[in-house]
């Protein structure tokens, strides 16, 4: 970690001066309050001894930037087709490793804000029509936590992007990954926006599956051979009336996707399981052509219904 000793000493000197002035004002307030004849300014002096050092210290320490700096679409995101949010289309799923903001100048608040904005740190991308992975959720389910802790480290970049349905990858100094996927955009600091290839659509119908409980399916999601067949899906407690078939997966058209409702239009010649690459969270219900159906778990993570 680089240490700027001169800046540290300057900050300590300023802090000591403010503390001394605040302490002096406090003592003066006590003396005036006890012995002074005119006590009208005692309360104000006491309050100033606390508030002024706080205001000055925070003003000096807080990075500030103009609103316009973070108002426009980040340059690297302009290369990504952003869906029309009013029509409920699924947002582009963008993976960004949480690796900080190295490589962009951050001398003051303006440059810090620009670095955060242009590299889409935290959830900047979500403001401009991108579904960021990892997001900034305050909590995750045990299933998702297990995926990131145990499964993700075993997955190749191609398997992760292909099976999870990643539309773009924002990465700093991509190295060998840049040889696998085409580059859509670049910005200073070595940041590149890459377009993964051979990616499962956000929703699809597959005629091919195998039975596996959620834990087994999640573990198999990290197996290298899974990338060889994106249509093959592990289903927890599949419908005994259905039999796996042959053929490729059929993409579904997403009529609407929002936090409360998802509508899919499926056109599959063979039927099978309609899979939505969103977490199989509690509380969801499903209908197929208006008929209630149970929701299964696909690949240990995602929602699936028999069609």
């Amino acid at each position: 970690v680089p240490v700027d000793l001169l800046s540290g000493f300057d900050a300590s000197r300023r802090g000591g001066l403010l503390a001394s002035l605040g302490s002096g004002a406090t003592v003066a307030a006590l003396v005036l309050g006890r012995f002074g004849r005119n006590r009208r300014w005692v309360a104000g002096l006491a309050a100033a001894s606390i508030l002024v050092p706080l205001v000055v210290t925070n003003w000096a320490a807080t990075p500030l930037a103009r609103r316009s700096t973070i108002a426009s679409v980040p340059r690297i995101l302009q290369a990504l087709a952003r869906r029309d949010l009013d029509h409920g289309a699924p947002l582009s799923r963008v993976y960004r490793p949480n690796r900080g903001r190295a490589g962009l100048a951050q001398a003051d608040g303006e440059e810090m804000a620009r670095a955060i904005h242009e590299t889409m740190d935290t959830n900047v991308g979500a403001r401009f029509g991108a579904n960021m992975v990892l997001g900034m959720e305050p909590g995750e389910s045990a299933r998702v936590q297990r995926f990131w802790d145990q499964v993700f480290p075993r997955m190749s970049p191609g398997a992760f992007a292909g099976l999870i349905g990643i539309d773009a990858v924002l990465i700093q100094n991509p190295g060998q990954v840049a040889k696998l996927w085409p580059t859509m955009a670049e910005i200073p600091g070595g940041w590149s926006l890459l377009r993964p290839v051979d990616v499962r659509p956000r929703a699809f119908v597959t005629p091919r599956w195998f039975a596996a409980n959620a834990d087994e399916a999640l573990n198999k999601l990290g197996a290298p051979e899974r990338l060889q067949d994106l249509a093959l899906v592990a289903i927890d407690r599949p419908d005994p009336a259905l039999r796996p078939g042959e053929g490729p997966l059929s993409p579904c058209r997403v009529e609407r996707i929002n936090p409360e409702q998802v509508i899919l239009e499926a056109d599959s010649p063979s039927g099978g399981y309609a899979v939505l690459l969103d977490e199989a969270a509690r509380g969801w219900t499903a209908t197929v052509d208006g008929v209630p159906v149970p929701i299964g778990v696909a690949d240990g993570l995602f929602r699936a219904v028999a069609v």
Side-chain angles (χ1 to χ4, degrees):
V1 177
V3 178
D4 188 346
L5 292 178
L6 292 179
S7 297
F9 282 126
D10 287 341
S12 298
R13 190 160 46 242
R14 288 194 302 269
L17 177 61
L18 285 171
S20 298
L21 293 175
S23 299
T26 301
V27 171
L30 291 173
V31 171
L32 289 174
R34 184 178 183 112
F35 303 108
R37 296 180 179 178
N38 189 349
R39 302 180 180 180
R40 290 182 301 171
W41 304 105
V42 172
L45 188 60
S49 69
I50 299 173
L51 295 178
V52 171
L54 285 176
V55 171
V56 173
T57 301
N58 282 279
W59 182 269
T62 302
L64 302 175
R66 293 187 297 270
R67 182 186 297 271
S68 58
T69 302
I70 59 172
S72 60
V73 178
R75 285 178 294 167
I76 206 162
L77 194 59
Q78 293 175 10
L80 190 66
R82 289 172 288 118
R83 274 68 168 186
D84 186 347
L85 305 184
D86 293 336
H87 291 85
L91 304 179
S92 296
R93 185 170 279 174
V94 180
Y95 170 65
R96 182 198 185 281
N98 292 330
R99 295 181 182 174
R101 299 179 294 277
L104 291 180
Q106 300 177 50
D108 54 29
E110 189 73 26
E111 293 185 349
M112 184 180 297
R114 187 176 297 109
I116 294 173
H117 186 71
E118 292 299 335
T119 63
M120 296 201 299
D121 198 3
T122 60
N123 260 357
V124 170
R127 295 176 50 214
F128 300 97
N131 188 335
M132 302 305 295
V133 180
L134 304 169
M136 297 297 294
E137 299 86 355
E140 294 177 332
S141 68
R143 181 186 292 117
V144 171
Q145 287 179 348
R146 183 185 167 197
F147 169 78
W148 288 115
D149 293 341
Q150 301 178 21
V151 181
F152 173 74
R154 296 189 285 112
M155 302 180 79
S156 66
F160 168 70
L163 294 169
I164 306 301
I166 302 296
D167 299 300
V169 174
L170 177 61
I171 189 170
Q172 189 178 31
N173 302 323
Q176 296 297 320
V177 181
K179 298 180 180 179
L180 300 176
W181 301 328
T183 300
M184 294 188 288
E186 294 178 327
I187 60 172
W191 290 90
S192 298
L193 187 69
L194 309 179
R195 172 77 71 184
V197 297
D198 298 327
V199 174
R200 293 197 291 192
R202 187 67 170 271
F204 58 89
V205 176
T206 178
R208 295 188 286 118
W209 69 87
F210 62 95
N213 64 45
D215 290 337
E216 294 173 342
L218 188 59
N219 186 59
K220 292 179 181 295
L221 192 63
E225 59 269 19
R226 286 303 310 275
L227 185 59
Q228 306 304 318
D229 190 355
L230 295 179
L232 185 62
V233 173
I235 298 294
D236 183 21
R237 291 176 290 185
D239 187 340
L242 292 179
R243 293 291 182 268
E246 296 296 329
L249 59 81
S250 301
C252 293
R253 187 161 61 94
V254 181
E255 296 283 349
R256 175 165 294 278
I257 181 167
N258 58 37
E260 296 84 20
Q261 184 185 50
V262 179
I263 301 175
L264 307 179
E265 183 72 23
D267 184 7
S268 173
S270 57
Y273 273 92
V275 179
L276 176 66
L277 296 184
D278 283 359
E279 186 186 357
R282 294 179 180 178
W284 283 92
T285 59
T287 61
V288 175
D289 294 334
V291 179
V293 295
I295 299 178
V297 180
D299 286 337
L301 278 178
F302 309 116
R303 302 174 211 166
V305 296
V307 294

